């Protein structure tokens, strides 16, 4: 059996309206879409557009409902249509535009009064919710007066209005009358009770646990946002930085806060800064974890970079080199730009070296190779590159990395000394042997190292020349006996004497911090732990 097109259209229209009346908006939208596909001119019919708006609203698509009614600021046929105003009242409340919702109330009254009380209730809830959100809770009681005293939704908004007016007793009274209701209303009532109780006193452990439970189990609407605000405020009241920042970050990241977003972000950034500051009572491990988890909240530009650098300094002071390296690596790759990557890459590399991870140190340098750096900055990067390569067992590449660095010869000599490559050390001698008449401790170490290398190679003539060159300068110095032992009668030296001479050489490194880094690289784990605290205090050469 077939039906005529006109009869089908009438049947579909009746079916769609019945679905809307039953609150089955999604199904109603599907029927209306079929009708529009069959007859495109329906989009021009007021009643059809109102039906689309109602179906969209019942399907939870508030923005779709507003679009069907001509958008947030309609003109023409829907501007003063009472039925359209009623649906806009509901939709504006859902999209958190309470002022716009309240502007629809006078226009919507006729359409609402024509509805049975049960069908009118969702719109009355919406009006009450908008009034509370807009900070004008006084009319809520009158707005909800048509609803019975046992209506769970009405009692919920009566309680919230009383709380907003400072009537704590009244709020608790209305909350006690809430029996049954939807799951959403029950959770809303729990949150409202928490808000009421916390308005008059500090949070108890049970209340904190309830807030945390609600934050985990209820997501995606205005109730979740209220729970997060509760958690944030209780954290602030209890000076609980973790709770405050955790809840505040969730509000910033996932909720539409409007004008509240900027001041909240400023408060969160201030909390982060206080927690990371050198004088903070927050343990360093907690401070580092806090910054890492919420680094997206840190201030932009120099202020955020300073916070990260400050925290890295605290980590270094505690010997937590790897944590500091990972923190600054994020700054290096995600925040720093162009030439600013130069000094930061060298610092990150040095921290990875101190933590025994030369591959990552080299990667930090290589990842930022694409920029053009000033010479001094490039030299420092080459120094870190050389240390990393040396740690990785790639000594020829390490020596080559500092070929064009001003103190490159001294660094190569340091590498050769630590590798006991006596021939290479002797070959570098002309470039870094002292020329002055008065020898510093570092210069004494350079000369004595050269003497050790020559003695080990059995080069007596070169040793005698060394003795002749520096005999006067060594006179009266603590290292003079060792110098004479190595250079006066080199043919009499044996392995034991050479070992004793090596132990007598001053322990200072001719290349300062670079020598310290190379030393850490070759040390056993126990020696590394002992050497690390002194690294930052040495300024040698």
């Amino acid at each position: 059996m077939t039906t005529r097109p006109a009869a089908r259209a009438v049947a579909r229209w009746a079916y769609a309206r019945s679905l809307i009346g039953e609150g089955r908006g999604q199904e109603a939208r599907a029927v209306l879409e079929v009708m529009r596909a069959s007859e495109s001119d329906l989009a021009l019919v007021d009643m059809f557009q109102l039906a689309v708006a109602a179906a969209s609203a019942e399907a939870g698509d508030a923005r779709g409902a507003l679009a069907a009614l001509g958008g947030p600021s309609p003109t023409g046929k829907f501007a003063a249509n009472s039925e359209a105003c009623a649906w806009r009242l509901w939709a504006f409340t859902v999209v958190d535009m309470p002022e716009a919702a309240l502007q629809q109330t006078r226009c919507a009254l006729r359409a609402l009064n024509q509805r049975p009380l049960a069908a009118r209730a969702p719109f009355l809830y919406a009006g009450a919710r908008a009034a509370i959100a807009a900070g004008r809770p006084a009319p809520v009681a009158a707005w909800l007066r048509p609803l019975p005293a046992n209506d769970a939704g009405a009692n919920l908004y009566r309680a919230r209005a009383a709380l907003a007016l400072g009537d704590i007793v009244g709020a608790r009274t209305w909350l006690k009358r809430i029996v049954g209701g939807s799951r959403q209303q029950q959770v809303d009532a729990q949150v409202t009770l928490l808000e009421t109780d916390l308005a008059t006193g500090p949070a108890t452990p049970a209340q904190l646990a309830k807030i945390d439970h609600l934050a985990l189990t209820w997501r995606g609407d205005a109730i979740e946002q209220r729970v997060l605000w509760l958690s944030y405020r209780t954290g602030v009241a209890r000076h609980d930085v973790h709770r405050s920042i955790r809840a505040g970050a969730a509000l910033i990241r996932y909720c539409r806060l409007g004008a509240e977003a900027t001041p909240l972000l400023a408060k969160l950034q201030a909390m982060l800064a206080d927690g990371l500051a050198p004088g903070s009572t927050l343990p360093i491990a907690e401070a580092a974890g806090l910054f890492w988890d919420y680094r997206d909240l840190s201030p932009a530009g120099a202020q955020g970079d300073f916070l990260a650098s400050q925290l890295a300094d605290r980590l270094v002071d505690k010997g937590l080199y790897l944590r500091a390296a990972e923190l600054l690596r994020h700054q290096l790759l995600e925040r720093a730009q162009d030439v600013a990557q130069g000094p930061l890459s060298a610092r990150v590399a040095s921290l990875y070296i101190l933590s025994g991870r030369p591959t990552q140190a080299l990667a930090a340098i290589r990842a930022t190779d694409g920029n053009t750096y000033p010479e001094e900055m490039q030299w420092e990067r080459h120094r870190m590159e050389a240390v990393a390569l040396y740690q990785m067992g790639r000594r020829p590449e390490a020596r080559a990395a500092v070929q064009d660095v001003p103190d490159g010869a001294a660094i190569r000599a340091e590498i050769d000394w630590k590798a006991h490559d006596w021939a290479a050390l002797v070959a570098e001698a002309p470039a870094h042997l002292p020329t002055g008449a008065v020898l510093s401790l570092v210069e004494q170490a350079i000369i004595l190292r050269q003497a050790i290398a020559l003695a080990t190679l059995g080069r007596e003539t070169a040793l005698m020349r060394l003795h002749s060159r520096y005999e006067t300068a060594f006179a009266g110095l603590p290292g003079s006996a060792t110098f004479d032992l190595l250079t006066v009668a080199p043919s009499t030296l044996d392995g034991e004497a050479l070992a004793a001479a090596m132990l007598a050489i001053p322990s200072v490194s001719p290349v300062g911090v670079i020598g310290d880094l190379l030393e850490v690289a070759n040390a056993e784990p126990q020696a590394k732990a002992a050497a690390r605290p002194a690294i930052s205090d040495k300024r040698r050469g």
Side-chain angles (χ1 to χ4, degrees):
M1 179 179 177
T2 59
T3 59
R4 290 174 299 173
R8 281 200 302 272
V10 171
R12 286 170 176 166
W13 178 246
Y15 183 44
R17 293 183 63 185
S18 70
L19 291 172
I20 294 171
E22 295 170 8
R24 295 159 64 182
Q26 194 63 46
E27 297 166 75
R29 282 214 295 187
V31 174
L32 292 169
E33 186 56 39
V34 170
M35 294 177 65
R36 179 157 43 194
S38 300
E39 183 61 57
S40 58
D41 288 346
L42 283 174
L44 304 175
V45 178
D46 294 358
M47 289 299 294
F48 183 83
Q49 286 299 96
L50 283 170
V52 170
S56 297
E58 290 184 349
D61 182 9
R63 296 187 185 280
L66 288 172
L69 296 173
S73 302
T75 58
K77 59 185 178 182
F78 291 129
N81 182 294
S82 184
E83 185 69 19
C85 291
W87 287 112
R88 276 199 297 272
L89 165 63
W90 178 90
F92 278 132
T93 302
V94 172
V95 298
D96 199 23
M97 297 175 65
E99 291 290 352
L102 292 179
Q103 289 173 11
Q104 309 300 314
T105 54
R106 185 181 298 275
C107 171
L109 279 177
R110 186 169 61 84
L112 295 182
N113 290 334
Q114 290 174 352
R115 282 173 163 79
L117 189 57
R120 198 188 318 165
F123 296 90
L124 299 180
Y125 297 158
R129 176 178 161 187
I132 294 167
R136 300 207 293 271
V140 168
W143 187 260
L144 298 174
R145 190 169 293 124
L147 297 173
N150 63 351
D151 185 294
N155 288 340
L156 176 61
Y157 287 110
R158 287 165 178 147
R160 289 180 58 185
L163 177 60
L165 290 167
D167 182 5
I168 305 300
V169 174
R172 288 196 176 107
T173 300
W174 286 117
L175 287 171
K176 288 177 182 177
R177 296 186 184 182
I178 297 175
V179 178
S182 67
R183 170 64 179 155
Q184 185 177 33
Q185 289 171 334
Q186 292 172 13
V187 174
D188 200 331
Q190 294 176 44
V191 176
T192 304
L193 180 60
L194 283 167
E195 290 170 335
T196 303
D197 290 341
L198 295 177
T200 57
T204 65
Q207 289 169 332
L208 291 173
K210 185 65 175 177
I211 291 171
D212 292 339
H213 175 73
L214 288 169
L216 286 172
T217 57
W218 192 266
R219 296 294 175 90
D221 62 8
I223 295 176
E224 181 192 17
Q225 190 165 322
R226 287 164 56 205
V227 171
L228 290 172
W229 276 116
L230 263 181
S231 188
Y232 169 77
R233 287 193 291 267
T234 54
V236 171
R238 294 166 56 86
H239 305 289
D240 184 340
V241 176
H242 287 281
R243 174 178 289 276
S244 302
I245 294 182
R246 182 173 64 246
L251 285 164
I252 292 289
R253 290 168 176 168
Y254 309 121
C255 300
R256 294 183 179 181
L257 300 182
E260 296 174 308
T262 299
L264 175 60
L265 180 59
K267 290 176 183 177
L268 294 176
Q269 289 174 341
M271 290 180 194
L272 272 176
D274 290 344
L276 303 181
S280 171
T281 57
L282 200 65
I284 182 60
E286 290 185 34
L290 199 66
F291 182 82
W292 189 256
D293 290 340
Y294 304 106
R295 57 192 181 277
D296 57 307
L297 301 180
S298 65
Q303 187 181 359
D305 295 338
F306 176 72
L307 284 182
S309 180
Q310 198 174 48
L311 177 58
D313 288 341
R314 289 183 63 193
L315 290 166
V316 168
D317 289 342
K318 296 293 184 181
L320 301 172
Y321 300 112
L322 181 58
R323 294 290 296 275
E326 290 173 342
L327 170 68
L328 292 182
R329 180 181 179 276
H330 172 78
Q331 300 294 111
L332 173 67
L333 300 181
E334 301 298 330
R335 292 176 63 112
Q337 299 291 326
D338 302 325
V339 72
Q341 291 184 318
L344 188 54
S345 63
R347 187 180 183 194
V348 170
S350 70
L351 292 169
Y352 273 129
I353 288 166
L354 285 169
S355 64
R357 287 165 172 78
T359 302
Q360 290 167 272
L362 187 61
I365 296 294
R366 298 281 168 85
T368 50
D369 269 345
N371 302 314
T372 300
Y373 301 109
E375 274 190 329
E376 291 188 5
M377 196 178 293
Q378 191 69 282
W379 293 337
E380 186 61 21
R381 284 165 50 83
H382 286 324
R383 293 183 187 105
M384 293 304 114
E385 184 179 7
V387 175
L389 288 166
Y390 176 73
Q391 276 196 358
M392 295 164 67
R394 296 158 61 178
R395 190 161 62 91
E397 294 174 71
R399 298 179 87 255
V402 289
Q403 188 66 41
D404 298 323
V405 175
D407 58 349
I411 295 173
R412 289 192 297 274
E414 185 79 9
I415 290 172
D416 297 336
W417 168 257
K418 294 186 183 303
H420 293 181
D421 188 343
W422 310 122
L425 182 60
V426 168
E428 291 286 355
H432 69 279
L433 284 175
T435 57
V438 179
L439 300 177
S440 67
L441 202 61
V442 168
E443 290 171 329
Q444 293 176 52
I446 292 172
I447 296 167
L448 292 174
R449 286 181 177 188
Q450 187 69 17
I452 289 286
L454 291 169
T456 305
L457 294 172
R459 299 185 183 180
E460 294 188 16
T461 302
L463 278 169
M464 287 188 287
R465 285 199 300 268
L466 196 68
H467 182 270
S468 175
R469 180 176 177 180
Y470 293 109
E471 178 183 8
T472 302
F474 263 102
L477 295 178
S480 61
T482 303
F483 177 74
D484 290 341
L485 173 68
L486 291 169
T487 59
V488 171
S491 59
T492 64
L493 292 173
D494 56 18
E496 186 175 339
L498 284 172
M502 289 183 72
L503 290 174
I505 294 176
S507 61
V508 292
S509 169
V511 289
V513 173
I514 299 298
D516 295 334
L517 293 174
L518 289 167
E519 185 65 33
V520 171
N522 285 335
E524 292 298 322
Q526 297 88 341
K528 284 184 182 181
R532 282 174 182 174
I535 294 297
S536 61
D537 296 328
K538 295 179 181 178
R539 295 293 182 270
R540 298 173 179 160

